[in-house]
Amino acid sequence: MATRGLVVRHTSLLHQSRGAILQCIARRNASAIAVPTSTASEDVHHDVTREASVPNPDPPANSPTAAQLSEHTPYMVATYVRPPPMMVKGEGCYLWDAENRQYLDFTAGIAVNALGHCDSEMAKLLYQQARTLIHTSNLYHNPWTGELSKQIITKTRSAGAMHTASKVFVCNSGSEANEAAIKFARKVGKTRTPSGTQHEILSFHGSFHGRTMGSLSATPNPKYQQPFAPMIPGFKYATYNDETSINELITEKTCGVIIEPIQGEGGVNVATSSFLQALRTRCNEVGAVLIYDEIQCGLARTGQLWAHQILPKSAHPDILTTAKALGNGFPIGAAIVNEDVAKCIVTGDHGTTFGGNPLACRLAHYIFSRLSDPELQSSVQAKEHVFRRHFTRFQQKYPCHVTEVRGRGLLLGLQLATDPTPIVTAARERGLLVITCGTNTLRLVPPLVISEREIDEGCGILERAMDVVFGKGGEEVQGTKGQQEMAPMGR
């Protein structure tokens, strides 16, 4: 209660501070009207004009938010570039910043908050489990790691996905899940060819598998690899959806192939069914492990529990990785393996201190039960159609700017002819959060519980942002940097 009271008093002070700023701006604006020869600086004039023209202007340089950032930034490693607002509260599909500006969230924490912000049942379970048991390490059993693992296997198989799913390794993040998958593939190769010749991993251009050294080695973007070169040896790269190169690149030296059925960071690129089937066939021929990275595209994001479950069993993976929505904001990841992989992993081969802790697993158990609900998945498919109706209007209105729509379910990309970051800024300053990916792609990954009314509201804001940036005589809008994990090639 004391913490809640502190938050309320802090919010009240922010309201007062914002009110004082707006009063100051109003007085300054009134002064400018009364005295046409005002000597106010161009910066002041710009601030006044911007405050008056957009409903959700970014906090200015003299705001309480800017003051707090100036205090904190010197102590933080500069790994991200962020826009000015500081988010302090979330509920459902909305966020509020420190100055009480409200934003409709089409980002969901980069496809994480599938159940929206601050789901009430999740908050209740978090409180209950935190008062019961948080962590013991994997030196001891706890009931929730096993319950979650059983749930993932049974529901995955009953949904028609990965029919050979057998066991689960629970960890803390997507990058860790992919690290485990890469290590497991290497161990399978080592088991089959003790000489170590079967050790190569194939991944694809445009992929993003993480930032730890193994997953980074599987992410062929020079911007991220070069500062930490050399990469782990044995990684090769192929062109996404190019079936002609498969036989040449997947050989008897290949122990694993890792691919996203839908590339998220790479631009919302969808793998063809024939391409994934061809990968599966070639992996079978050489004894390689096929890994599907569904960290962003899985867990009902496409309108099915797993993105690959629309494929025949003959194209299913040996390892399936997940994270993001599995914790709805709480850190957790997992690697799902079949029996052929599991039997190659023995005690001591891999491990984690925090992975599988009872708090994370109890939350994930609840979240997975929600996301595996066919009714929720059907609603995702229906909501995709609502988005696409709006996208059709965008393309008709701005055919030279909006060139393509890609994706499935609520993992959608609008391909633009030019830099989308001014759209990101214009939308945010009108109360909508969107992000980018790939090269000139606007990405929309809202919470899966978003309503049709909220989709209509957000797309209306997005259209107004496009009007500002693309429209005849539109204003110049500064782009927002840092709104995707993986920078476009060459930028």
Side-chain angles (χ1 to χ4, degrees):
M1 290 300 292
T3 303
R4 184 178 180 184
L6 180 60
V7 172
V8 171
R9 289 194 297 274
H10 176 64
T11 303
S12 177
L13 287 172
L14 291 174
H15 281 312
Q16 295 170 19
S17 299
R18 187 184 183 208
I21 292 169
L22 293 176
Q23 288 173 13
C24 177
I25 291 171
R27 288 195 300 270
R28 188 170 62 195
N29 198 24
S31 173
I33 293 171
V35 185
T37 56
S38 169
T39 57
S41 70
E42 289 184 8
D43 289 341
V44 169
H45 177 73
H46 177 268
D47 286 346
V48 172
T49 303
R50 187 172 61 88
E51 288 274 358
S53 64
V54 296
N56 255 37
D58 283 341
N62 62 346
S63 66
T65 298
Q68 192 169 2
L69 291 176
S70 295
E71 179 184 350
H72 293 168
T73 301
Y75 302 98
M76 299 166 63
V77 177
T79 51
Y80 283 90
V81 178
R82 301 176 177 93
M86 178 184 290
M87 303 306 173
V88 298
K89 179 186 173 184
E91 183 177 348
C93 297
Y94 291 90
L95 287 169
W96 286 264
D97 70 12
E99 298 178 37
N100 206 37
R101 295 173 172 89
Q102 177 180 287
Y103 304 86
L104 179 55
D105 185 8
F106 275 12
T107 75
I110 316 181
V112 168
N113 300 108
L115 301 180
H117 296 283
C118 301
D119 177 81
S120 59
E121 183 65 19
M122 179 181 171
K124 183 174 76 173
L125 290 174
L126 194 156
Y127 173 76
Q128 291 174 351
Q129 188 62 39
R131 287 173 57 88
T132 304
L133 183 64
I134 296 176
H135 174 75
T136 62
S137 85
N138 283 297
L139 299 179
Y140 307 100
H141 295 290
N142 79 76
W144 289 105
T145 311
E147 283 292 333
L148 174 63
S149 299
K150 177 183 177 182
Q151 179 192 48
I152 289 174
I153 296 299
T154 55
K155 287 189 177 293
T156 293
R157 295 178 70 162
S158 65
M162 192 180 174
H163 67 288
T164 58
S166 175
K167 292 178 172 59
V168 180
F169 172 76
V170 185
C171 53
N172 307 286
S173 68
S175 189
E176 287 182 51
N178 283 336
E179 287 283 342
I182 291 167
K183 286 183 68 176
F184 293 171
R186 282 271 174 98
K187 183 65 188 298
V188 170
K190 193 82 168 179
T191 302
R192 290 175 175 167
T193 57
S195 65
T197 55
Q198 191 175 17
H199 69 278
E200 292 181 348
I201 302 285
L202 181 70
S203 63
F204 296 87
H205 293 291
S207 64
F208 182 84
H209 299 294
R211 295 179 184 272
T212 49
M213 284 304 292
S215 57
L216 180 62
S217 297
T219 301
N221 187 318
K223 179 179 174 63
Y224 293 107
Q225 288 190 347
Q226 286 174 359
F228 306 101
M231 293 292 101
I232 295 174
F235 283 79
K236 298 170 69 175
Y237 311 118
T239 300
Y240 199 72
N241 276 334
D242 178 12
E243 296 181 34
T244 62
S245 64
I246 288 176
N247 288 348
E248 179 183 351
L249 291 172
I250 302 176
T251 70
E252 286 73 15
K253 293 183 178 181
T254 306
C255 67
V257 175
I258 183 169
I259 185 169
E260 299 161 273
I262 303 177
Q263 291 183 333
E265 293 294 333
V268 192
N269 305 308
V270 182
T272 64
S273 298
S274 63
F275 181 62
L276 295 175
Q277 180 65 72
L279 289 178
R280 174 74 276 176
T281 300
R282 183 58 175 164
C283 284
N284 290 345
E285 291 171 352
V286 302
V289 170
L290 179 60
I291 306 163
Y292 285 169
D293 174 348
E294 293 211 25
I295 289 165
Q296 185 162 163
C297 65
L299 294 178
R301 177 57 59 180
T302 62
Q304 290 85 26
L305 179 58
W306 300 107
H308 76 270
Q309 76 186 55
I310 63 172
L311 300 171
K313 289 181 178 180
S314 58
H316 286 186
D318 302 296
I319 302 178
L320 175 64
T321 59
T322 183
K324 284 189 180 288
L326 184 61
N328 204 58
F330 198 92
I332 188 170
I336 306 163
V337 304
N338 64 19
E339 192 58 39
D340 288 338
V341 174
K343 69 184 181 183
C344 295
I345 308 302
V346 299
T347 302
D349 277 350
H350 196 50
T352 168
T353 297
F354 297 108
N357 69 75
L359 178 56
C361 288
R362 186 177 183 188
L363 294 174
H365 186 273
Y366 159 71
I367 293 159
F368 197 93
S369 70
R370 291 277 305 276
L371 298 178
S372 58
D373 179 4
E375 187 175 335
L376 179 140
Q377 294 165 21
S378 295
S379 76
V380 169
Q381 296 173 34
K383 292 166 189 176
E384 175 188 355
H385 295 307
V386 178
F387 267 109
R388 286 186 178 273
R389 285 200 298 269
H390 288 287
F391 295 164
T392 297
R393 187 176 72 254
F394 298 166
Q395 288 181 295
Q396 291 171 346
K397 190 173 186 178
Y398 293 112
C400 295
H401 295 282
V402 183
T403 61
E404 185 183 3
V405 177
R406 295 192 294 270
R408 282 171 46 202
L410 294 180
L411 172 52
L412 298 168
L414 289 176
Q415 185 61 50
L416 305 185
T418 54
D419 178 15
T421 60
I423 299 289
V424 174
T425 302
R428 184 180 65 250
E429 294 204 311
R430 286 156 181 80
L432 175 70
L433 300 178
V434 291
I435 51 177
T436 61
C437 61
T439 301
N440 296 340
T441 307
L442 202 61
R443 177 170 34 161
L444 296 92
V445 282
L448 304 186
V449 295
I450 193 169
S451 68
E452 290 191 14
R453 179 192 62 78
E454 289 166 334
I455 294 173
D456 291 341
E457 176 190 348
C459 286
I461 297 172
L462 185 57
E463 184 172 10
R464 291 195 291 276
M466 289 183 177
D467 290 341
V468 169
V469 176
F470 298 151
K472 187 177 293 185
E475 64 183 78
E476 288 290 328
V477 179
Q478 187 70 33
T480 300
K481 297 180 180 179
Q483 296 299 285
Q484 63 190 71
E485 284 283 340
M486 184 175 74
M489 300 284 282
R491 265 197 199 168

PDB file of all heavy atoms in Angstrom, residues 469-484:
ATOM      1  N   VAL A 469       2.798  12.659 -42.950  1.00  0.00           N
ATOM      2  CA  VAL A 469       4.108  12.389 -43.563  1.00  0.00           C
ATOM      3  C   VAL A 469       4.018  12.297 -45.086  1.00  0.00           C
ATOM      4  O   VAL A 469       4.876  12.811 -45.808  1.00  0.00           O
ATOM      5  CB  VAL A 469       4.712  11.097 -42.979  1.00  0.00           C
ATOM      6  CG1 VAL A 469       6.033  10.758 -43.681  1.00  0.00           C
ATOM      7  CG2 VAL A 469       4.931  11.233 -41.477  1.00  0.00           C
ATOM      8  N   PHE A 470       2.971  11.641 -45.622  1.00  0.00           N
ATOM      9  CA  PHE A 470       2.858  11.411 -47.060  1.00  0.00           C
ATOM     10  C   PHE A 470       2.004  12.447 -47.781  1.00  0.00           C
ATOM     11  O   PHE A 470       2.128  12.613 -48.991  1.00  0.00           O
ATOM     12  CB  PHE A 470       2.239  10.032 -47.337  1.00  0.00           C
ATOM     13  CG  PHE A 470       3.028   8.869 -46.839  1.00  0.00           C
ATOM     14  CD1 PHE A 470       2.384   7.691 -46.465  1.00  0.00           C
ATOM     15  CD2 PHE A 470       4.407   8.919 -46.747  1.00  0.00           C
ATOM     16  CE1 PHE A 470       3.102   6.599 -46.013  1.00  0.00           C
ATOM     17  CE2 PHE A 470       5.138   7.840 -46.289  1.00  0.00           C
ATOM     18  CZ  PHE A 470       4.480   6.671 -45.915  1.00  0.00           C
ATOM     19  N   GLY A 471       1.109  13.104 -47.028  1.00  0.00           N
ATOM     20  CA  GLY A 471       0.139  13.978 -47.664  1.00  0.00           C
ATOM     21  C   GLY A 471       0.758  15.173 -48.353  1.00  0.00           C
ATOM     22  O   GLY A 471       1.870  15.604 -48.032  1.00  0.00           O
ATOM     23  N   LYS A 472       0.022  15.721 -49.315  1.00  0.00           N
ATOM     24  CA  LYS A 472       0.493  16.886 -50.070  1.00  0.00           C
ATOM     25  C   LYS A 472       0.692  18.053 -49.098  1.00  0.00           C
ATOM     26  O   LYS A 472      -0.197  18.405 -48.324  1.00  0.00           O
ATOM     27  CB  LYS A 472      -0.514  17.266 -51.146  1.00  0.00           C
ATOM     28  CG  LYS A 472      -0.034  18.371 -52.089  1.00  0.00           C
ATOM     29  CD  LYS A 472      -1.062  18.643 -53.174  1.00  0.00           C
ATOM     30  CE  LYS A 472      -1.192  17.448 -54.105  1.00  0.00           C
ATOM     31  NZ  LYS A 472      -2.109  17.772 -55.243  1.00  0.00           N
ATOM     32  N   GLY A 473       1.857  18.624 -49.135  1.00  0.00           N
ATOM     33  CA  GLY A 473       2.157  19.735 -48.238  1.00  0.00           C
ATOM     34  C   GLY A 473       2.349  19.297 -46.810  1.00  0.00           C
ATOM     35  O   GLY A 473       2.275  20.094 -45.876  1.00  0.00           O
ATOM     36  N   GLY A 474       2.581  17.964 -46.602  1.00  0.00           N
ATOM     37  CA  GLY A 474       2.741  17.438 -45.247  1.00  0.00           C
ATOM     38  C   GLY A 474       3.961  18.018 -44.555  1.00  0.00           C
ATOM     39  O   GLY A 474       4.938  18.415 -45.181  1.00  0.00           O
ATOM     40  N   GLU A 475       3.885  18.032 -43.241  1.00  0.00           N
ATOM     41  CA  GLU A 475       4.980  18.625 -42.469  1.00  0.00           C
ATOM     42  C   GLU A 475       6.166  17.680 -42.403  1.00  0.00           C
ATOM     43  O   GLU A 475       6.042  16.462 -42.566  1.00  0.00           O
ATOM     44  CB  GLU A 475       4.499  18.942 -41.057  1.00  0.00           C
ATOM     45  CG  GLU A 475       4.112  17.725 -40.253  1.00  0.00           C
ATOM     46  CD  GLU A 475       3.561  18.068 -38.887  1.00  0.00           C
ATOM     47  OE1 GLU A 475       2.389  18.468 -38.808  1.00  0.00           O
ATOM     48  OE2 GLU A 475       4.298  17.906 -37.908  1.00  0.00           O
ATOM     49  N   GLU A 476       7.344  18.246 -42.157  1.00  0.00           N
ATOM     50  CA  GLU A 476       8.538  17.446 -41.957  1.00  0.00           C
ATOM     51  C   GLU A 476       8.488  16.848 -40.555  1.00  0.00           C
ATOM     52  O   GLU A 476       8.319  17.558 -39.575  1.00  0.00           O
ATOM     53  CB  GLU A 476       9.791  18.311 -42.113  1.00  0.00           C
ATOM     54  CG  GLU A 476      10.092  18.719 -43.548  1.00  0.00           C
ATOM     55  CD  GLU A 476      10.548  17.543 -44.386  1.00  0.00           C
ATOM     56  OE1 GLU A 476      11.192  16.641 -43.833  1.00  0.00           O
ATOM     57  OE2 GLU A 476      10.228  17.521 -45.589  1.00  0.00           O
ATOM     58  N   VAL A 477       8.614  15.536 -40.460  1.00  0.00           N
ATOM     59  CA  VAL A 477       8.583  14.855 -39.172  1.00  0.00           C
ATOM     60  C   VAL A 477       9.903  14.141 -38.968  1.00  0.00           C
ATOM     61  O   VAL A 477      10.360  13.392 -39.837  1.00  0.00           O
ATOM     62  CB  VAL A 477       7.424  13.836 -39.107  1.00  0.00           C
ATOM     63  CG1 VAL A 477       7.428  13.122 -37.761  1.00  0.00           C
ATOM     64  CG2 VAL A 477       6.083  14.526 -39.343  1.00  0.00           C
ATOM     65  N   GLN A 478      10.510  14.373 -37.821  1.00  0.00           N
ATOM     66  CA  GLN A 478      11.780  13.736 -37.499  1.00  0.00           C
ATOM     67  C   GLN A 478      11.547  12.257 -37.232  1.00  0.00           C
ATOM     68  O   GLN A 478      10.642  11.882 -36.504  1.00  0.00           O
ATOM     69  CB  GLN A 478      12.395  14.389 -36.251  1.00  0.00           C
ATOM     70  CG  GLN A 478      13.799  13.908 -35.912  1.00  0.00           C
ATOM     71  CD  GLN A 478      14.835  14.387 -36.925  1.00  0.00           C
ATOM     72  OE1 GLN A 478      14.715  15.462 -37.485  1.00  0.00           O
ATOM     73  NE2 GLN A 478      15.865  13.577 -37.148  1.00  0.00           N
ATOM     74  N   GLY A 479      12.361  11.395 -37.822  1.00  0.00           N
ATOM     75  CA  GLY A 479      12.232   9.961 -37.595  1.00  0.00           C
ATOM     76  C   GLY A 479      12.635   9.566 -36.190  1.00  0.00           C
ATOM     77  O   GLY A 479      13.397  10.274 -35.519  1.00  0.00           O
ATOM     78  N   THR A 480      12.139   8.429 -35.738  1.00  0.00           N
ATOM     79  CA  THR A 480      12.489   7.880 -34.440  1.00  0.00           C
ATOM     80  C   THR A 480      13.459   6.729 -34.641  1.00  0.00           C
ATOM     81  O   THR A 480      13.123   5.731 -35.277  1.00  0.00           O
ATOM     82  CB  THR A 480      11.242   7.373 -33.696  1.00  0.00           C
ATOM     83  OG1 THR A 480      10.339   8.457 -33.507  1.00  0.00           O
ATOM     84  CG2 THR A 480      11.615   6.801 -32.340  1.00  0.00           C
ATOM     85  N   LYS A 481      14.648   6.847 -34.098  1.00  0.00           N
ATOM     86  CA  LYS A 481      15.661   5.810 -34.249  1.00  0.00           C
ATOM     87  C   LYS A 481      15.471   4.724 -33.190  1.00  0.00           C
ATOM     88  O   LYS A 481      14.835   4.926 -32.172  1.00  0.00           O
ATOM     89  CB  LYS A 481      17.065   6.409 -34.123  1.00  0.00           C
ATOM     90  CG  LYS A 481      17.404   7.422 -35.199  1.00  0.00           C
ATOM     91  CD  LYS A 481      18.809   7.969 -34.997  1.00  0.00           C
ATOM     92  CE  LYS A 481      19.173   8.996 -36.077  1.00  0.00           C
ATOM     93  NZ  LYS A 481      20.535   9.548 -35.882  1.00  0.00           N
ATOM     94  N   GLY A 482      16.082   3.561 -33.461  1.00  0.00           N
ATOM     95  CA  GLY A 482      16.136   2.511 -32.459  1.00  0.00           C
ATOM     96  C   GLY A 482      14.853   1.755 -32.238  1.00  0.00           C
ATOM     97  O   GLY A 482      14.683   1.131 -31.191  1.00  0.00           O
ATOM     98  N   GLN A 483      13.926   1.743 -33.218  1.00  0.00           N
ATOM     99  CA  GLN A 483      12.639   1.099 -32.993  1.00  0.00           C
ATOM    100  C   GLN A 483      12.557  -0.300 -33.588  1.00  0.00           C
ATOM    101  O   GLN A 483      11.495  -0.785 -33.943  1.00  0.00           O
ATOM    102  CB  GLN A 483      11.524   1.990 -33.537  1.00  0.00           C
ATOM    103  CG  GLN A 483      11.423   3.317 -32.815  1.00  0.00           C
ATOM    104  CD  GLN A 483      11.121   3.158 -31.331  1.00  0.00           C
ATOM    105  OE1 GLN A 483      10.007   2.859 -30.945  1.00  0.00           O
ATOM    106  NE2 GLN A 483      12.131   3.334 -30.507  1.00  0.00           N
ATOM    107  N   GLN A 484      13.696  -0.980 -33.680  1.00  0.00           N
ATOM    108  CA  GLN A 484      13.737  -2.393 -34.031  1.00  0.00           C
ATOM    109  C   GLN A 484      15.013  -2.976 -33.487  1.00  0.00           C
ATOM    110  O   GLN A 484      16.012  -2.275 -33.293  1.00  0.00           O
ATOM    111  CB  GLN A 484      13.641  -2.598 -35.549  1.00  0.00           C
ATOM    112  CG  GLN A 484      14.781  -2.020 -36.368  1.00  0.00           C
ATOM    113  CD  GLN A 484      14.503  -2.052 -37.853  1.00  0.00           C
ATOM    114  OE1 GLN A 484      13.681  -1.325 -38.364  1.00  0.00           O
ATOM    115  NE2 GLN A 484      15.210  -2.908 -38.579  1.00  0.00           N
TER     116      GLN A 484
END
